[in-house]
Amino acid sequence: MALACVADSVVTLTDEDQLDRFMANYAGSNEYNIPLLVLSGGSNVLLPAQLHAIVLRPLMRGIVVINQTQTYVDIEVMAGENWHDLVIYTVAQGWYGLENLALIPGLTGAAPVQNIGAYGVQLEDSLQYVRAYHLPSRTWQHLSATDCEFGYRDSLFKRSPNTWLISRVGFRLHLDPSQILASYGDVQSVAQDYAKQQNRTLPIPADVMQAIIDIRTQKLPDPKQLPNCGSFFQNPIISNAKFTALQENYPDIVGYSMPQSMVKVAAGWLIEQAGLKGGGIAPIVTHQQQALVLTNHTPYQATQDDVAQAQQYIADCVYKKFAIHLSREPVWVNADGSIGHGEHVV
């Protein structure tokens, strides 16, 4: 989001031994009462203007093949590897399973925290394990996919912020280029076009990856050009009865059936119908092509408070029109490094 933020201290970690040494010194020093904040690529966080914490940045690099058979390959990826570059690399190597997750910003070590997902694929589909440092006990631990307690955009790590620092992620990827998932939205038709250009009857993983890159590029602004952290509001879940009542006045309302007679409503549709496409409180406004995305028009000058004001204004307008509450998706970091689960959640 390119907010103005200065931290008291930042420790850049390039290997695991460095973390062991730091934690030993930290535990025996006067800094022991200074909180720690684990920060990866920062693509899904909202930082305060002053961060009174020691920031730990796991930027270890490396990709290693652990095992390979005729049908799959096991690889281990260090936390500091750029996620999108990893996807491109694996597809180029003929290792498949991550292609639907192309162009998701951030680093590999943070991917399990959110259990990132897109176009029918979630990280947990390929993840085998993580190696992570448990900060409270100062011990390294090996966690299986089951141990990670993955849910939809959720994990053990997300529910226990600043408790774990992930240094390595293990994946099992398949070697069959005919196994693709290209049935979501426009992916199938765009991927098929790429296949035809190469005189192929059916798309291969590289076609799916390129299709998703094209679609995401068209729908979402490049954070390097216009700072944003992707979808800012969660899609609210309301009762089927409430959704049916809203349909009487808004027949075009977008909703998806959920278990237990609930409906997930498209937050972007609500914001747009409230007349807020391109609206907000400057310099934080919604994107002209995608109302669900908040953008920062004064990079490294706008603050967390600016985001809070724009968020509150948009949420108030939506509630006034539809009586539906919107909740924030990105992680709010307090000045002491703690995670503000309830702060500015409207």
Side-chain angles (χ1 to χ4, degrees):
M1 202 65 179
L3 300 179
C5 175
V6 177
D8 288 352
S9 179
V10 179
V11 178
T12 300
L13 302 168
T14 55
D15 62 62
E16 293 171 336
D17 290 342
Q18 188 181 359
L19 178 58
D20 284 320
R21 292 193 298 272
F22 167 80
M23 290 302 295
N25 291 332
Y26 172 76
S29 72
N30 294 329
E31 293 184 326
Y32 190 65
N33 290 325
I34 301 176
L36 302 175
L37 171 68
V38 179
L39 180 67
S40 185
S43 59
N44 198 43
V45 298
L46 300 170
L47 296 170
Q50 296 291 325
L51 185 52
H52 302 300
I54 299 174
V55 179
L56 300 178
R57 301 213 61 203
L59 299 182
M60 309 86 163
R61 301 291 300 275
I63 303 171
V64 179
V65 174
I66 303 299
N67 182 42
Q68 185 164 355
T69 71
Q70 292 184 336
T71 57
Y72 66 82
V73 59
D74 292 333
I75 64 172
E76 188 174 77
V77 184
M78 300 304 288
E81 291 291 337
N82 177 276
W83 176 259
H84 178 59
D85 291 347
L86 171 66
V87 174
I88 293 175
Y89 176 76
T90 56
V91 171
Q93 296 298 311
W95 308 336
Y96 309 125
L98 304 181
E99 54 275 1
N100 289 51
L101 304 178
L103 214 63
I104 294 177
L107 304 181
T108 299
V113 178
Q114 184 80 358
N115 189 19
I116 59 172
Y119 299 97
V121 172
Q122 295 192 105
L123 187 78
E124 63 178 304
D125 300 332
S126 299
L127 185 142
Q128 295 289 293
Y129 65 87
V130 302
R131 175 171 163 82
Y133 190 89
H134 187 245
L135 293 168
S137 63
R138 302 200 301 277
T139 59
W140 286 101
Q141 298 191 25
H142 179 101
L143 291 89
S144 67
T146 301
D147 294 333
C148 295
E149 299 177 12
F150 289 123
Y152 177 70
R153 305 293 182 270
D154 192 30
S155 71
L156 166 70
F157 314 110
K158 186 176 181 180
R159 294 191 299 274
S160 306
N162 293 330
T163 300
W164 300 92
L165 185 149
I166 296 171
S167 66
R168 308 181 187 203
V169 185
F171 296 97
R172 174 164 291 181
L173 305 176
H174 67 85
L175 307 178
D176 183 355
S178 68
Q179 291 185 35
I180 59 170
L181 180 58
S183 57
Y184 267 68
D186 299 332
V187 176
Q188 191 165 19
S189 60
V190 178
Q192 188 65 49
D193 288 342
Y194 275 111
K196 288 181 180 178
Q197 292 172 20
Q198 300 297 321
N199 297 315
R200 290 191 295 268
T201 304
L202 296 172
I204 60 174
D207 300 325
V208 173
M209 180 182 72
Q210 191 57 54
I212 288 170
I213 290 173
D214 290 353
I215 293 168
R216 290 181 71 98
T217 300
Q218 292 168 9
K219 288 185 175 181
L220 298 172
D222 183 349
K224 295 177 183 177
Q225 303 298 323
L226 183 57
N228 70 90
C229 48
S231 299
F232 191 88
F233 293 101
Q234 298 177 18
N235 291 324
I237 297 175
I238 63 175
S239 68
N240 188 56
K242 185 169 185 176
F243 182 77
T244 301
L246 285 168
Q247 274 185 313
E248 294 182 6
N249 293 321
Y250 307 100
D252 295 331
I253 187 171
V254 180
Y256 307 92
S257 295
M258 299 285 288
Q260 300 177 333
S261 299
M262 304 297 282
V263 178
K264 182 188 293 183
V265 181
W269 185 92
L270 297 172
I271 295 167
E272 187 171 346
Q273 294 303 309
L276 292 171
K277 201 170 192 179
I281 298 180
I284 309 297
V285 296
T286 65
H287 188 47
Q288 288 284 0
Q289 277 73 50
Q290 174 52 270
L292 194 56
V293 176
L294 261 63
T295 57
N296 176 12
H297 288 259
T298 56
Y300 309 111
Q301 296 179 41
T303 66
Q304 197 182 51
D305 289 339
D306 293 322
V307 176
Q309 290 181 36
Q311 173 185 327
Q312 192 69 53
Y313 171 71
I314 292 167
D316 287 347
C317 290
V318 168
Y319 186 79
K320 185 176 180 180
K321 188 175 182 69
F322 299 104
I324 293 177
H325 291 282
L326 292 181
S327 296
R328 185 189 63 248
E329 170 66 28
V331 176
W332 185 278
V333 180
N334 296 320
D336 64 355
S338 63
I339 304 303
H341 286 294
E343 290 201 18
H344 301 285
V345 175
V346 289

